[in-house]
Amino acid sequence: MFVLELSYTAPIEAVDAVLEAHVAWLEEQYAAGFFLASGPKNPRDGGVILAVADDRARIEEIAAGDPFVTAGVCAYRVTEFVATKTAPGLERYREPLG
């Protein structure tokens, strides 16, 4: 499982100019089964996405396609972790340790 942390690298007006395309891209990733949760940080200087994929390379490829990235208004920090415990609705994403 992955935590994707987005940090805006441009003024919020530039981010907002690409927001509609970013939201459409998010919907595509949810439909493909990659994203589990997402939303803006508070304060709004970026966002967070909880994601799943077979490997980090795939997640990095997906993130590179974000309109925020292609427009140059945000940077990603990708953190991979082993989800050994989950809420009941996320049991299928649990992984054994080791």
Side-chain angles (χ1 to χ4, degrees), residues 1-85:
M1 192 170 287
F2 300 86
V3 176
L4 286 62
E5 182 180 4
L6 293 72
S7 297
Y8 297 148
T9 58
I12 198 69
E13 297 79 18
V15 172
D16 285 343
V18 195
L19 185 58
E20 189 175 322
H22 171 75
V23 170
W25 171 84
L26 286 171
E27 292 299 327
E28 291 172 8
Q29 305 318 311
Y30 277 105
F34 292 115
F35 290 177
L36 304 177
S38 62
K41 290 192 254 179
N42 187 10
R44 189 174 169 223
D45 60 1
V48 175
I49 300 170
L50 184 60
V52 293
D54 290 334
D55 58 41
R56 184 184 187 95
R58 182 66 178 122
I59 285 295
E60 290 176 350
E61 178 184 353
I62 291 165
D66 182 347
F68 278 176
V69 171
T70 59
V73 300
C74 102
Y76 271 81
R77 177 178 171 205
V78 177
T79 303
E80 184 173 3
F81 74 102
V82 178
T84 58
K85 293 203 174 271

